[in-house]
Amino acid sequence: MTGVQTCALPISASNAFSFKGGSNLDFDCGAASNSSAANAFSMTSSTWAHFASLRVVGGMSVAGTLVLDNTPAITNSSPTSNPFTNWKTPNFTKSCDYNKFSPRKGITLNPGVYCGGLSFGSGSFYMEPGTYIIDQGDFSVSAQAVITGDGVTIFMTDSSRTKSSDKTGTFVMSGGATVNLSAPLSGSNALMLFVVDPLSSVPGAHVIGSASGEMMGNIYIKKGSLSLAGKT
């Protein structure tokens, strides 16, 4: 994908990219998966997706409509070099600013360490610019939630990770949600919107389902899968 920016990179999981449920997705960038699975990229019927380019180490199963600016898609390719190798994970203390936080509607959220997860119910919410550390929990958005924020990075991690225990969560956006988030344009987290800690051993399943709105920035999942459903 020479000359094309990669903005979505699930690396190793089976079914790393999964499009289903009538999803309709438009990416103005390239996508790559270093998964060697036969279903490294899959689309069910009644789905539509656009990428600048696409390459996977494994195989593809496409029953929907796939539109590429630089065709054709490349399967059985050599691994794509990780464009985020030099990105530094955020430094933070293990102390919690919030615990299992579920904000009331209309609230403005501040950057910080959200231990046990951050869960949005119905209502409107604004996220101030900065880094949101989700420590040992999920970033979940329920139906009818409306979330807005510019200059935001969401980082999923487990600060108490051991070789035998890793509680890094997933990001899940449910049907009916409206999410308008953009990543910072400068600084140490420039262009990073959703990031799962590269050191995590959890092959989490991250879902963006039936959410409307616009999300601008990179999605980086070293281990795990990205499933997109509905009209996202």
Side-chain angles (χ1 to χ4, degrees):
M1 293 187 295
T2 303
V4 176
Q5 179 186 5
T6 300
C7 69
L9 184 71
I11 291 184
S12 60
S14 173
N15 210 17
F17 275 111
S18 174
F19 297 80
K20 54 189 177 181
S23 58
N24 189 330
L25 300 139
D26 192 355
F27 288 79
D28 292 328
C29 53
S33 172
N34 286 352
S35 169
S36 59
N39 60 346
F41 181 95
S42 66
M43 296 178 65
T44 61
S45 61
S46 301
T47 58
W48 183 94
H50 163 257
F51 293 96
S53 59
L54 173 66
R55 65 185 300 162
V56 296
V57 172
M60 297 172 55
S61 174
V62 178
T65 301
L66 176 62
V67 179
L68 301 174
D69 296 339
N70 300 315
T71 54
I74 301 173
T75 58
N76 302 310
S77 73
S78 57
T80 298
S81 59
N82 187 344
F84 310 129
T85 297
N86 295 325
W87 179 74
K88 303 298 183 182
T89 58
N91 291 319
F92 67 99
T93 63
K94 293 184 179 181
S95 61
C96 305
D97 297 310
Y98 307 91
N99 285 282
K100 296 182 179 179
F101 192 61
S102 181
R104 64 181 183 276
K105 63 178 64 178
I107 198 171
T108 294
L109 283 78
N110 294 305
V113 180
Y114 289 76
C115 296
L118 174 56
S119 177
F120 294 92
S122 62
S124 297
F125 308 90
Y126 178 75
M127 299 180 72
E128 291 281 5
T131 302
Y132 292 75
I133 309 291
I134 314 299
D135 193 4
Q136 295 187 347
D138 297 332
F139 179 90
S140 62
V141 182
S142 69
Q144 311 310 317
V146 179
I147 302 176
T148 305
D150 296 318
V152 169
T153 298
I154 298 163
F155 180 62
M156 316 294 299
T157 190
D158 178 356
S159 62
S160 301
R161 180 187 305 112
T162 66
K163 290 183 178 180
S164 60
S165 176
D166 189 336
K167 298 179 181 178
T168 301
T170 60
F171 55 83
V172 179
M173 299 181 192
S174 302
T178 301
V179 181
N180 291 292
L181 294 175
S182 65
L185 298 178
S186 60
S188 59
N189 291 327
L191 305 181
M192 306 302 280
L193 181 58
F194 285 103
V195 182
V196 180
D197 193 336
L199 297 178
S200 173
S201 61
V202 177
H206 306 274
V207 179
I208 300 176
S210 301
S212 62
E214 186 173 46
M215 288 171 275
M216 301 179 64
N218 293 318
I219 300 172
Y220 177 28
I221 308 168
K222 188 171 184 179
K223 293 184 179 179
S225 62
L226 177 61
S227 176
L228 301 108
K231 297 187 181 301
T232 307

